[in-house]
Amino acid sequence: MLLESYLQDTWVTPADSDATDVLDAVTSESVCRVSSAGLDLAGAFDHARRAGGPALRALTFHQRADLLEALATVVRSRREELYALSARAGATLNDARYDVDGGIRVLRDYAARARAELPDTSYLVEGPAERLARGEDFLGVHLVTPSPGLMLQVNAFNFPVWAPLEKLAQAVLAGMPSVVKPATPTAYLTEHLVRIITDTDVLPPGAVQLVAGSVRPALDLLREQDVLSFTGSAATAETLRTHSNLVARSIRFNAEADSVNAVVLAPDVTPDSPLFEAFVREVVTEMTVKAGQKCTAIRRVLVPREHEGAALDAIASRLAGVSIGNPASEGVRMGPVVSLAQREDVRRAVRAIAASGRFVHGDPAKVRVVDADPERGAFLDTLLISADPDAAAPHEVEPFGPAATVLAYRDTAHATDLLARGRGSLAASLVGDDLAWTTAFVRDAAPWHGRLHLLDSTNLNQTTGHGSPLPALRHGGPGRAGGGSELAGIRGVVELMQRTGVQASRRMLAALQSP
């Protein structure tokens, strides 16, 4: 079956040339074939700019918020369909809920924030006005208006529902239509999501379109008012960032790339404490949710040298109780990674890291699974590695799967240095009760991270977890993590719009601020 694309408000079948086979992660049976051959991408982009953009820009922020609320209701009403399809990508029901329900929550959060924080107008005047001369009638403000362009979404395979909905929420509020390009291994999930959306009349014509397959030719179609929002590997982000058309036209490019995120156990946390148990639980959760295929997942586990043995034993003990297999089977906690190719990528990565250490738990070459063939499916064991903290590989190689590496640090200075060797990450967790140690560590760690999760004895039963981006806070990271920013509440919406300094008389500014 060739996966269709949704262009110019019509479902379109591509040509069957150079199509990629997408296989079930559990059985290796064919799910679909993906191609963008013969698709009219230029026509789709023109339709977004001529139909979708004007329709969204004609609405106020509150009316756009109503669209998001309605969209959340529509997707929620059919989320069981998305859960069922997610199993074919290796997701357990818990994994599917993380993806699907997470996307729905983002839509509703942005709808509520827009109503509470933005005016019922189609643009925003940032004040108060600044006096620009000696008199009282020459003032300046910043006017924030929707850009007459489109957002090209290029998404990763691991969140085929949340990722497009997250980007769509901000784009709709900013008055910008979206062209969604899903990653090929889970494109069938995003395609079904778009069918759910387009089966209703929630969004105006041209507000959302879908391209299944490659969009490389479309990069030359982007214009100055457009945005390219990318989630994926650092290597691909580097290629996109230097694309000649993006450079020549100064096209806004937002990248959320891979990173070797870390958790740091503070010296004051002892192995017999509840906080140590919370630390172990956090590591195991990040290794096993979505089979470790999260851009925010913990890859490096930094522990004081004196607690290395206790940490390895405790984490390995918990991992031993994780049931791996067919995600549709009762009791299975972790399914396969998304594809056989992804399994090989993880195997290569963990072997590179283990060259400076050893596997404490798991074997990359074999795994026992429930209700599935471990060779036909893309199954991996949970892989815990102990490595030389000063070796290069643990800080440079990211195994995008159920793997983490324990690194023992000598002292605080060594720990901060190890953290920085990741060259920029999306998230890090610090686990400890010592306020002086944590506050000092935060000052050193913050420049290298987009988000810091500080876990102590007072919040260990309330935390949403290391790996959960929240709509209110920035999601992105410096350096290797891409330097981009998503979410961040209304700040993220405003970043998609054009901020213009306006110098005018008091009466003109008053007119601008009138509904």
Side-chain angles (χ1 to χ4, degrees), residues 11 141 170 237 293-294 369 460:
W11 287 100
V141 296
Q170 292 180 302
Q293 297 168 110
K294 294 195 303 176
V369 302
L460 61 87

Side-chain angles (χ1 to χ4, degrees), residues 330-496:
E330 185 176 352
V332 168
R333 181 172 169 184
M334 191 181 88
V337 293
V338 74
S339 66
L340 295 174
Q342 184 63 26
R343 182 175 68 179
E344 291 309 305
D345 284 347
V346 176
R347 284 173 170 172
R348 282 192 293 269
V350 294
R351 284 168 177 151
I353 295 170
S356 68
R358 62 189 176 93
F359 287 101
V360 177
H361 180 272
D363 183 337
K366 59 184 180 180
V367 59
R368 295 179 63 184
V369 302
V370 176
D371 293 338
D373 184 329
E375 290 306 313
R376 286 184 61 82
F379 293 98
L380 280 168
D381 203 350
T382 49
L383 303 167
L384 183 67
I385 304 166
S386 174
D388 177 359
D390 293 310
H395 310 287
E396 296 176 359
V397 178
E398 184 190 19
F400 204 76
T405 304
V406 174
L407 306 167
Y409 64 85
R410 296 184 297 272
D411 50 35
T412 300
H414 189 214
T416 56
D417 176 63
L418 293 178
L419 208 58
R421 293 189 197 182
R423 297 185 295 110
S425 296
L426 295 169
S429 285
L430 309 181
V431 183
D433 279 327
D434 187 331
L435 295 178
W437 185 90
T438 300
T439 53
F441 202 95
V442 163
R443 287 192 290 271
D444 289 331
W448 293 101
H449 296 85
R451 177 169 56 86
L452 292 177
H453 172 238
L454 310 182
L455 187 62
D456 64 17
S457 295
T458 63
N459 69 4
L460 61 87
N461 293 319
Q462 302 174 37
T463 174
T464 54
H466 164 97
S468 298
L470 299 172
L473 297 178
R474 178 178 186 267
H475 177 53
R480 171 178 173 154
S485 177
E486 295 179 357
L487 297 177
I490 296 303
R491 298 181 193 88
V493 175
V494 172
E495 287 301 309
L496 292 176

